[in-house]
Amino acid sequence: MGLLSDPNRRRALISMLTRLNAPICMLCYCAGVCWFMGLAFEPFTLRTYMSENAMGSTMVEERFPAGERALATAREFAAHKKKVGGMPVDWLVKTMQARGLEVFTQSFSRVLPFPDENKERYIVKGTNVYGILRAPRAPRTEALVLSAPCSPGDNNNQAVGLLLGLAHYFRNQIYWAKDIIFLVNEHDLIGMQAWLEGYHHTNTTGMKWTPLQGRGGSIQAALSLELSSDVITSLDIVLEGLNGQLPNLDLANLFYAFCQKIGVLCTIQGRLQRNDWDSVSGYSHAVQTMMLMVMKQASGRPWGDHGLFLRYHIEAATISGINSFRQYKTDLTTTGRSDLYRLVEGMYRKLNNLLERLHQSYFFYLMPSLTHFVSIGYYMPAFGLLAVILLLRALDLWVQLVAPPARTEDGIAEIEQQSSPGVRSVLTPLIISHLTGAALYLMPVHFQEMAVEHFPVSETEAVVLTAIAVYTAGLALPHNTHRLVSGEGTEQGWRVLKLVAVLYLAVLLGCTALINFSLGFILALTMVPVAAFVTPDVPKVLSAIVFVILSPACTLLFSVFLFQELQDMPVSLQDGWMLYISVISQGILDHYLFGSLVYPLIALMVYPCWLLFWNILFWK
Amino acid sequence: HELWEAVLPLIVLLCGGGQLKDDFQEELVIRPLHSGDIYASFHFRTLWETDFMKGNKVSHYRLFPKSLGQVISKFSVRELHISFTQGYWRTMQWGQPYLPSPPGAELWVWFQDTVTDVDATWKELTNVLSGIFCASLNFIDSTNTVQPSASFKPLGIANVTDHRFLRYATLPREIVCTENLTPWKKLLPCGSKAGLAVLLKSEKLFHSSFHSQAVHIRPMCQDSQCKTPSWELRQTLNVVFDLHTSGQGKQEWSLFKMFSRTLTEACPLASSSKIYIDITDNPQVGEQFELIPATPLLRQAVVLGDRRTFSVYDLTQQVTFGTVRSLNLLIRWKSTEGHMLRPLLHAERYVAGYGLQTGEIHTLMYNNHPFRSFSVLLLDSVPWYLRLYIHTLTVTSKGKDNKPSYIHYQPSKDRIRPHLLEMLVQLPPHSVTEVTVQFERALLKWTEYTPDPNHGFYVGSSVISALVPSTVAMDTNNTQERTLFSSL
């Protein structure tokens, strides 16, 4: 009691915190990293369990009869797709009508801000086809969605076949309490975005679409299917959605429960779970799985068609069939593909039983394997330990600023004299760095035409290279502006600026981590050391190199290499660079097409904040 | 059996004095639908020449159910309409229903002008009806009751159209099941023992796409002079069986397949007992579907402003049942096309937007008539916890602002009364009219959430009333299956 109210004790505490500030900060950093690495250690994690009563205890019996017919439908679909050279809209409408669904179409068009070289598209026009199975004796207030993208080439035909097969079977059942919408979307995520915007009658991204003619009430859950081969060895569930949002954990639990029941191999991040958690390789397997999830989440991209549902508070996941675990194939030949149908059927029947939206289980979690998860209460301390460094440094700076530097009679007057130019010397770099950030946000897309005229590059390259150029130019630009305003940089001046910058970073990272833990944590991991130990007095060249290496852009570069490494697809430096460029262009496209927030966050907030520290480094 | 029939009129003579005539009629209308589904609509009508008005004590009951008669006397009810519906009428596939009803429970009542405290009477009435129909009508209170100013007209004889005596409420979350069907069947003179009511087996009625049961009570004219009123109790039950789930995909319907029963007799108390099959879409016999056994009796009738032709089976005639002494009507489709209908008028409604802070209610009204515009009355009753921003109300058709000629808006009061919005809108020919209004979700006290709060809240259906001009005038001396409802 009275630790803070008693002035003596408070002074003692503060003096201890300032004296031991650097060691405590280092300790916190190490503890944060260790805590994070420990999250994947199985005894520290929780086992997944079904929280939702409506899906847990009630039993459903799956009895989907005809897998062969669905395969035949898939082949028919493939043939029509080839004939039309795109989405066979008429055939799909006719087929769905024959299965007794109410069928509607929606056409959409979108001009991308710059050409997407990965998918080779610029002006996108397409049509979504969806059929609604009306639940008998239900008032059209709730719906479930099953979607399959109509992909170019031979991809995903089997998913459409499965969708139509299930539609046929589901239509003959009486037990549905929610409308089921079977959606085949063209141009994968763009089509999905158009459909979801049409369904909710919103327009967040400036896409053109025709209004929907049929609806089924509020969508409770959605699954997206991706299947590209007749033989599959395992099923993978993809959870990461737009801006790092995740569906309720119960959806993953449901998937796992049915995989167990039906006896299908299931994976997350394409990785099987292992039972040897106590061995080094087992632990590293879990760490790698979790790291993959962290990096995918941090990217803020929708990693499947489901990712766009999450914005509308619709729990959604993508289930994709994988044909890679050859060693297990023998186990599956006896059961065959109808397992997959029964799995999806079972999941829909359980979702159909829901009385409420999925809300019982976690929305914030990390999964080191499909059977174990780390909840927000366990992973947040890892971030908290990093964030507390910033607060400790801020406290230290505050104490230094408040304590009179010289014990003269007119010390107070001196401080006042010093602090009045201090405000301007803080404001100027703040404004300049934010203007640089705004330039980084606006210039790449708006000046692409000019760049293409003057340099021999494609539009996409122009956008990315402009971004990199603005980013690099920002390093040279603002670091001595304060001298123009206030003459020679003062001791007080950089302290005040650093105090502001440290608190700014703490708030920024704290908010980011609450929304997207992975992004917040990765940024904290690289930016906190820089922020904590920067002063104008450290050796310039060496620190500048460290600074650049730990800057957000380089963090992204390392993440690209690490991600490839974790996926067992290591790349050479050359390919890595190309990948890096494409990742940046994809990030910008995600922002313009789907409203992903990572690009504006980095450009408008994180990068300017980092520039402030860069400014402090070159204060004198 | 014969003895019983002989005794019954004697009792009537002894106690009732005999001057009160009552009459019971039953009908089943079957309409094969374009989609391959089948629509069966039961109508039971009890007409009683008595007068409940002006505090008359009525103590002897024969065919008219006493429980309802007492309700009419005690609460001075002039008209009562109650419906319980499970499902959603798919206008785009099925066309117009004979009787429209919203999902859940709907109740609207006209009181007599002698009632002094209408709200208290209404409250008491809903509680009594709740007991009679085993339904949660007791949840009707001031927060979901409105007094529409224009949308509802008395359907029987009425010299009072003062809307102070009208109350309207819906319970969209009400689930209808066998427990509501049983008390409804008990109101019938023959119960479910004889006549058409033997078909009302719950295991089949609830294995369907749509189920709606209703009770309508209204005063009628006894004769053309209309000196004394008689009271009509009309019980209706509508059900749609699905081609795929009930019909196993085969386009062949029979009474047995629909209801797992066949008919052997009419209700002995009924003065008329008939089955009508709508064969308007089957002008040449056996062109679209085949009817077994065939009947020579045909009847023309005007339903919803449309002249329809019906094959009639009279259950009071022994010949209808044939040699096997049971009637199992069989309708065998020859060809169907599953295309969507384009009904003259239809509407849909949805909530736009996402997130919890804002939303927008969109109501779309389609007028598919090529050259005729229609005036419709739109009634919206929205619970208080959705705060409507009435300044955002827009009505647009064909991209242009469509100014309603009449707007009646009563703002809500938190925890006391809902929003009431009534508009008279002109629908231009061949157009979609969109009515949008933004709302915000109010912050509720934690005790105000319903059980399963993550299920969401229900907003009742809108009511759209239209005067559909018909080339065929209403014919008064015709069959009873025609509804006199003006609401769409």
Side-chain angles (χ1 to χ4, degrees), chain A residues 520-571:
Chain A
F521 186 78
I522 288 177
L523 285 175
L525 213 54
T526 53
M527 288 185 74
V528 164
V530 166
F533 294 103
V534 62
T535 63
D537 308 323
V538 289
K540 290 273 177 305
V541 181
L542 186 67
S543 325
I545 293 169
V546 174
F547 247 78
V548 171
I549 287 174
L550 291 179
S551 82
C554 290
T555 311
L556 178 61
L557 183 64
F558 302 141
S559 303
V560 168
F561 281 103
L562 180 61
F563 185 70
Q564 292 297 321
E565 200 67 41
L566 287 172
Q567 286 209 315
D568 299 326
M569 288 187 290
V571 286

Side-chain angles (χ1 to χ4, degrees), chain B residues 299-453:
Chain B
R299 194 79 171 264
Q300 297 260 319
V302 178
V303 182
L304 300 163
D306 197 11
R307 192 182 285 282
R308 317 284 298 177
T309 314
F310 296 91
S311 287
V312 185
Y313 294 83
D314 192 345
L315 298 187
T316 48
Q317 307 290 320
Q318 265 314 312
V319 66
T320 311
F321 299 102
T323 48
V324 286
R325 298 199 160 272
S326 104
L327 177 65
N328 182 23
L329 270 172
L330 187 74
I331 300 166
R332 194 177 285 143
W333 279 86
K334 292 278 171 60
S335 66
T336 50
E337 59 271 49
H339 66 82
M340 294 266 185
L341 295 172
R342 294 198 62 79
L344 218 52
L345 284 173
H346 63 104
E348 61 172 315
R349 189 156 80 146
Y350 61 91
V351 173
Y354 62 94
L356 287 177
Q357 65 279 37
T358 52
E360 198 167 43
I361 298 177
H362 284 241
T363 310
L364 300 175
M365 291 178 283
Y366 295 83
N367 177 6
N368 288 326
H369 202 282
F371 53 84
R372 194 154 208 162
S373 65
F374 293 111
S375 298
V376 297
L377 260 170
L378 175 73
L379 167 88
D380 247 325
S381 158
V382 179
W384 64 266
Y385 40 78
L386 299 185
R387 303 232 159 95
L388 291 186
Y389 293 127
I390 204 71
H391 70 278
T392 62
L393 177 75
T394 58
V395 184
T396 47
S397 13
K398 291 183 168 172
K400 270 182 279 178
D401 204 32
N402 181 350
K403 205 168 180 306
S405 45
Y406 166 79
I407 293 189
H408 171 72
Y409 175 66
Q410 189 183 36
S412 70
K413 278 187 191 158
D414 279 6
R415 300 174 180 85
I416 293 174
R417 69 171 191 215
H419 304 266
L420 169 68
L421 178 62
E422 278 181 289
M423 286 190 292
L424 184 67
V425 186
Q426 195 80 16
L427 307 183
H430 199 70
S431 70
V432 188
T433 303
E434 187 168 22
V435 180
T436 62
V437 59
Q438 290 180 7
F439 67 89
E440 184 189 58
R441 293 157 176 91
L443 197 64
L444 294 189
K445 295 175 187 167
W446 70 277
T447 46
E448 284 170 341
Y449 284 93
T450 47
D452 298 337

Side-chain angles (χ1 to χ4, degrees), chain A residues 100 102 134-140 142 171-174 200-202 204 213 215 311-312 355-357 359, chain B residues 86-88 90 93 103 206-209 242 244-245 340 348 350 352-354 362 366 452-455 458:
Chain A
E102 280 181 34
R134 295 293 181 193
R137 281 173 294 105
R140 292 194 183 177
E142 292 176 323
R171 182 63 183 83
N172 294 326
Q173 310 308 315
I174 189 75
H200 295 94
H201 210 288
T202 58
T204 46
Q213 298 293 316
R215 284 185 173 75
R311 166 188 286 158
Y312 301 94
L355 285 174
E356 304 177 72
R357 272 174 192 285
H359 67 284
Chain B
Q86 185 73 13
Y88 183 91
R90 303 171 199 169
Q93 284 167 305
F206 291 102
H207 196 286
S208 59
S209 292
D242 188 272
H244 293 269
T245 54
M340 294 266 185
E348 61 172 315
Y350 61 91
Y354 62 94
H362 284 241
Y366 295 83
D452 298 337
N454 282 285
H455 183 79
Y458 282 77

Side-chain angles (χ1 to χ4, degrees), chain A residues 109-138:
Chain A
S109 68
R110 176 81 162 102
V111 180
L112 270 55
F114 55 90
D116 182 355
E117 290 191 345
N118 280 24
K119 290 181 174 155
E120 291 173 353
R121 56 189 182 190
Y122 180 48
I123 298 171
V124 178
K125 278 198 175 82
T127 311
N128 294 323
V129 179
Y130 65 103
I132 306 179
L133 191 170
R134 295 293 181 193
R137 281 173 294 105

Side-chain angles (χ1 to χ4, degrees), chain A residues 132 143 180 201 225 258 270 291 404 416 565 582:
Chain A
I132 306 179
I180 300 179
H201 210 288
L225 297 172
F258 272 98
M291 280 307 292
E416 278 173 0
E565 200 67 41
S582 96

